[in-house]
């Protein structure tokens, strides 16, 4: 339950601590949509493979059983190079659901691999290519045709307005519009109904979270590095699980927990914390100093609450702890003190 | 034959892991199953005392792991039940004497010989615990209706959840509950505990003085005594074997009305 339940924008490059440049490889994990591994930041096949290898090996526990998409961007790969890259993925038990490429050479290489090799359990189809097919363009394409194809593909895709995961991963979203042919396009492959449509939360870019899920201790630590501009809404991390004693989650944006937070568990967020369940553990909202941050829970039974620099604690207990009110409540700072009141959407 | 390896754990000490292991082992063996009890509390060996077998211990778990003896030599047969064996812990060593790989191998070997392998884990969540759960297929978490025990059980369940691949299910036993105190709101009720832990309940064992007497005697009460706790452990063993046994009505336990006393007089087991 631990893995797969997290939906942060994660840069796995951070996990290793070896790769300072985080844009080389990005891991974008989304609710219900699986995980996108974006290696479009790498300049050549060798580099991409080494990043993929080191990142996936380090956290191989995390990958198993997840639906994974691979984004190659403009990376140019020959057939052999592509095969070797897939081998790296297979080694850690990853069978990519989609491989998304904007490069013609790569696309061709991938198609060659996908067609004759029945060894691949799931279809590996270049999205750029399938987009063109969907738009009714002939398979073999050359330069002038490609631009047309991309346009047509875009028109076909217009219905699917959701930005792709790649969009979210770009530091500058505007850069996307400037590349006419290289525009990453998401088209559902007919045989598979799964379409990657990034939720709005992920579309807010540049919050990079590294996720270390330790299967041994059950402790989840999220080191966050925020690069976002001040005016942007912080990203939301959604967690669907009960947090038990000893488990800690911290996130640079808003934190939403679907489940209970038991005593001994700790939540820390720079933004708001929302618990769709009973909050019995410790919650620290606005950890970066944001006094406007709030903590909401369906049932408040928290032992201690922190918002920015303010701390509130539950009354001393004389007998068994009393049950909290069975109504959703919000904690916020009023006149420098934490006040809990009935939940009010305003 | 591939038996089920069940680890009994709690996090907190003194909640009744060893008592539960012994009683569940005896109750399972009474139903005819081949049962091995493994004491993983290396350095603090207790299970042999509860079983009344301490004078029969020759070799121990560490000897087996270090290949000083064969597994069959180290297994101590129960006084009464020929289908129940104990693999005692070493008393002169500590938990670093074995590692998880060795334990996996050992429990796998035992699972090939027995229907049930019940592993009594030490308190704590360090290497001793990790070794105990290493080869387990299922876990039983023991917890008393106290805040501290519930907190520790919660922590342990979190650790067990992280081992989903190996441990297919974990269930809770609430031990030493006092219905009278629950009624006066001085003790957490079964519902209170379950609300926090949100885990499947395997059984509820009421507080019973007979447990201490049976420990001193070296005869787990699920085998012989017509006690409340013994009945609870027998029910737990039946549930482990897939039977659907209703939970004991705790309300009737606390009452000492004339009617309850009359019922008890004629039918001491039905509590």
């Amino acid at each position: 339950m631990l893995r797969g339940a997290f939906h942060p924008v994660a840069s796995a490059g951070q996990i290793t601590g070896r790769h300072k440049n985080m844009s080389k490889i990005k891991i974008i994990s989304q609710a219900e949509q699986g995980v996108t591994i974006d290696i479009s930041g790498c300049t050549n096949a060798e580099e991409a493979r080494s990043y993929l290898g080191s990142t996936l090996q380090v956290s191989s526990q995390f990958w198993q059983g997840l639906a994974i998409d691979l984004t190659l961007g403009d990376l140019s790969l020959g057939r052999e190079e592509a095969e070797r890259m897939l081998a790296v993925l297979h080694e850690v038990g990853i069978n990519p659901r989609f491989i998304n490429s904007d490069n013609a050479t790569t696309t061709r290489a991938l198609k060659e691999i996908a067609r004759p090799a029945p060894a691949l359990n799931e279809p590996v189809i270049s999205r750029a290519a399938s987009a063109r097919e969907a738009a009714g363009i002939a398979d073999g394409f050359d330069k002038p045709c490609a631009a047309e194809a991309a346009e047509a593909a875009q028109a076909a895709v217009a219905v699917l307005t959701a930005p792709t995961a790649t969009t979210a991963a770009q530091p500058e979203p505007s850069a996307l519009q400037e590349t006419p042919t290289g525009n990453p396009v998401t088209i559902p492959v007919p045989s598979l109904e799964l379409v990657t449509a990034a939720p709005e939360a992920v579309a807010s870019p540049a919050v990079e979270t590294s996720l270390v899920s330790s299967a041994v201790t059950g402790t989840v630590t999220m080191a966050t590095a925020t690069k976002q501009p001040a005016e942007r809404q912080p990203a939301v991390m959604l967690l669907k699980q009960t947090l038990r004693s000893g488990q800690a989650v911290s996130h640079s944006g808003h934190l939403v927990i679907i489940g209970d937070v038991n005593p001994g568990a700790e939540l820390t967020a720079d933004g708001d914390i929302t618990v769709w369940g009973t909050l019995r553990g410790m919650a620290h909202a606005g950890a970066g100093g944001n006094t406007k941050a709030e903590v909401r829970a369906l049932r408040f039974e928290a032992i201690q609450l922190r918002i920015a620099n303010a701390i509130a604690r539950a009354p001393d207990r004389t007998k068994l702890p009393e049950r909290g009110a069975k109504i959703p409540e919000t904690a916020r700072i009023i006149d420098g003190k934490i006040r809990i009141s009935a939940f009010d959407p305003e | 034959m591939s038996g089920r390896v069940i680890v009994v754990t709690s996090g907190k000490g003194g909640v009744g892991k060893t008592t539960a292991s012994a009683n569940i082992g005896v109750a399972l063996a009474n139903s005819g199953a081949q049962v091995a009890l493994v004491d993983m509390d290396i350095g603090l060996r207790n299970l042999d005392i509860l079983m009344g077998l301490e004078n029969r211990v020759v070799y121990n778990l560490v000897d087996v792991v270090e290949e000083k003896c064969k597994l069959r030599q180290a297994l101590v047969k129960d006084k009464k039940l020929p289908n129940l064996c104990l693999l005692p812990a070493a008393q002169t060593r500590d938990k670093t004497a074995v590692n998880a790989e060795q334990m996996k191998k050992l429990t796998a070997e035992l699972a090939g010989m027995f229907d049930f392998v019940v592993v009594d884990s030490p308190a704590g969540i360090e290497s001793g615990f990790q070794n105990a759960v290493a080869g387990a297929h299922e876990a039983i978490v023991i917890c008393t209706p106290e805040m501290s025990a519930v907190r520790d059980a919660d922590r342990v369940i979190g650790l067990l959840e992280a081992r989903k691949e190996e441990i297919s299910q974990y269930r809770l036993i609430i031990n030493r509950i006092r219905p009278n105190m629950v009624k006066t709101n001085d003790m957490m009720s079964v519902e209170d505990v379950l609300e926090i832990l949100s885990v499947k309940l395997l059984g509820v064992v009421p507080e019973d003085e007979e447990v201490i007497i049976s420990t001193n005697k070296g005869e787990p009460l699920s085998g012989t005594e017509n006690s409340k706790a013994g009945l609870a452990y027998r029910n737990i063993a039946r549930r482990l074997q897939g039977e659907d046994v209703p939970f004991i009505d705790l309300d009737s336990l606390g009452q000492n009305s004339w009617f309850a006393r009359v019922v008890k007089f004629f039918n001491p087991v039905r509590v």
Side-chain angles (χ1 to χ4, degrees):
Chain A
M1 197 204 283
L2 270 173
R3 60 194 152 72
F6 295 99
H7 312 292
V9 181
S11 161
Q14 261 185 327
I15 297 171
T16 65
R18 266 178 281 170
H19 311 304
K20 291 285 176 256
N21 187 350
M22 282 178 283
S23 62
K24 293 285 184 193
I25 180 162
K26 288 197 189 77
I27 314 294
I28 302 147
S29 170
Q30 298 158 49
E32 311 296 328
Q33 321 245 341
V35 177
T36 304
I37 301 171
D38 184 354
I39 49 168
S40 54
C42 297
T43 46
N44 59 51
E46 195 56 45
E47 191 183 37
R49 210 172 62 240
S50 82
Y51 275 102
L52 263 184
S54 59
T55 306
L56 302 187
Q57 304 264 305
V58 164
S59 47
S60 59
Q61 287 277 327
F62 180 74
W63 308 113
Q64 280 164 25
L66 287 179
I68 288 158
D69 301 348
L70 183 66
T71 300
L72 299 173
D74 210 25
L75 201 63
S76 175
L77 297 175
R79 182 175 166 171
E80 268 178 39
E81 286 170 322
E83 266 173 351
R84 254 180 286 159
M85 189 163 293
L86 287 174
V88 171
L89 296 175
H90 287 302
E91 224 167 77
V92 289
I94 296 177
N95 231 341
R97 192 174 48 163
F98 288 117
I99 297 182
N100 191 356
S101 170
D102 306 320
N103 185 285
T105 323
T106 314
T107 306
R108 216 171 295 135
L110 286 171
K111 289 183 105 181
E112 274 175 40
I113 297 169
R115 219 169 270 151
L120 297 170
N121 299 338
E122 287 174 51
V124 177
I125 297 164
S126 161
R127 271 202 214 141
S130 58
R132 284 177 189 106
E133 277 160 12
I137 306 292
D139 195 45
F141 60 88
D142 46 20
K143 263 292 168 209
C145 186
E148 247 182 74
E151 266 179 46
Q154 259 182 306
V157 168
V159 201
L160 295 158
T161 47
T164 58
T166 325
T167 320
Q170 300 282 338
E172 274 102 29
S174 59
L176 188 75
Q177 272 78 39
E178 289 162 19
T179 53
T181 51
N183 199 347
V185 176
T186 310
I187 280 281
V189 178
S191 61
L192 294 164
E193 284 186 271
L194 293 152
V195 184
T196 327
E200 293 77 4
V202 182
S204 72
V207 180
E208 301 194 353
T209 312
S210 88
L211 179 148
V212 183
S213 168
S214 157
V216 184
T217 61
T219 309
V220 182
T221 321
M222 275 163 223
T224 48
T226 317
K227 287 200 297 187
Q228 77 213 63
E231 72 274 10
R232 253 180 223 298
Q233 283 288 306
V236 177
M237 185 162 98
L238 180 69
L239 249 131
K240 282 187 202 164
Q241 73 167 100
T242 295
L243 284 172
R244 298 191 180 274
S245 174
Q247 295 176 333
V249 176
S250 74
H251 178 56
S252 61
H254 299 308
L255 190 52
V256 181
I257 312 287
I258 313 287
D260 290 352
V261 178
N262 280 358
E266 291 182 4
L267 306 177
T268 315
D270 283 352
D272 294 1
I273 294 176
T274 307
V275 179
W276 191 264
T278 308
L279 172 60
R280 302 186 186 94
M282 199 279 290
H284 189 180
N290 176 12
T291 51
K292 294 271 196 301
E294 293 175 358
V295 181
R296 290 170 218 98
L298 289 189
R299 272 177 81 177
F300 252 103
E301 292 175 20
I303 294 162
Q304 201 181 80
L305 270 181
R306 302 177 194 167
I307 298 175
N309 295 325
I311 297 183
R313 60 172 176 80
D316 288 328
R317 64 189 152 88
T318 48
K319 281 176 77 182
L320 282 174
E322 279 166 39
R323 295 291 182 75
K326 284 188 179 175
I327 50 159
E329 291 175 303
T330 309
R332 52 169 77 85
I333 294 186
I334 298 168
D335 301 330
K337 281 181 181 168
I338 296 177
R339 301 269 178 237
I340 301 178
S341 53
F343 174 72
D344 169 17
E346 295 307 303
Chain B
M1 179 155 73
S2 185
R4 289 156 68 185
V5 181
I6 305 172
V7 62
V8 180
T9 185
S10 71
K12 192 177 182 300
V15 295
K17 284 181 296 297
T18 308
T19 311
S21 304
N23 281 292
I24 291 169
V26 168
L28 285 171
N30 263 329
S31 71
Q34 297 285 329
V35 183
L37 282 167
V38 182
D39 191 352
M40 264 304 290
D41 204 347
I42 301 168
L44 294 167
R45 183 167 88 195
N46 283 158
L47 194 51
D48 55 330
I49 301 170
L50 263 74
M51 301 293 298
L53 297 173
E54 71 268 37
N55 52 358
R56 290 166 168 79
V57 174
V58 180
Y59 293 109
N60 58 51
L61 185 144
V62 177
D63 292 330
V64 176
V65 167
E66 291 177 350
E67 294 179 357
K68 285 184 184 155
C69 69
K70 298 236 170 63
L71 177 57
R72 286 207 179 272
Q73 289 176 294
L75 289 170
V76 183
K77 209 162 254 173
D78 185 62
K79 287 184 285 191
K80 290 178 185 164
L81 299 159
N83 52 339
L84 176 65
C85 284
L86 168 73
L87 180 58
Q91 182 68 0
T92 53
R93 308 288 292 272
D94 66 17
K95 54 193 168 196
T96 54
V98 293
N99 63 39
E101 278 311 309
Q102 290 167 330
M103 275 310 295
K104 267 188 198 166
K105 206 177 138 230
L106 181 68
T107 47
E109 198 179 339
L110 283 167
M113 297 159 63
F114 295 91
D115 297 321
F116 289 93
V117 179
V118 179
V119 182
D120 179 26
S121 128
I125 51 170
E126 297 84 18
S127 63
F129 164 80
Q130 303 289 354
N131 291 341
V133 298
H137 307 141
E138 295 168 43
I140 297 174
V141 179
I142 314 274
C143 154
T144 56
E146 294 162 69
M147 302 275 286
S148 50
V150 171
R151 183 80 60 94
D152 291 358
D154 190 46
R155 181 87 167 92
V156 162
I157 292 166
L159 296 176
L160 293 172
E161 274 176 356
R163 292 177 169 263
K164 264 223 163 111
E165 285 80 13
E166 301 116 64
I167 295 175
S168 57
Q169 63 171 338
Y170 39 89
R171 287 178 280 184
L172 183 75
I173 292 179
I174 301 176
N175 199 9
R176 305 180 66 178
I177 197 152
R178 294 174 182 217
N180 283 331
M181 286 184 74
V182 173
K183 216 172 265 176
T184 55
N185 214 14
D186 289 321
M187 184 179 261
M188 291 170 96
S189 68
V190 173
E191 291 72 32
D192 290 337
V193 176
L194 287 180
E195 197 191 324
I196 293 179
L197 295 179
S198 51
V199 63
K200 215 173 160 201
L201 188 65
L202 181 64
V204 181
V205 183
E207 174 89 317
D208 193 344
E209 288 173 0
E210 294 286 337
V211 174
I212 298 166
I213 299 168
S214 79
T215 304
N216 296 340
K217 262 202 271 183
E219 281 175 16
L221 43 69
S222 66
T224 49
E225 303 290 331
N226 284 334
S227 62
K228 295 177 277 184
L231 174 67
Y233 279 119
R234 282 199 294 278
N235 285 348
I236 285 167
R238 287 165 67 190
R239 286 185 201 112
L240 275 174
Q241 288 168 305
E243 253 183 87
D244 189 17
V245 187
F247 289 97
I248 301 175
D249 183 14
L250 288 169
D251 286 341
S252 69
L253 282 184
Q255 277 168 7
N256 244 344
S257 66
W258 67 269
F259 183 72
R261 264 178 278 163
V262 169
V263 169
K264 205 175 171 188
F265 179 78
F266 287 110
N267 197 352
V269 190
R270 226 27 62 87
V271 282

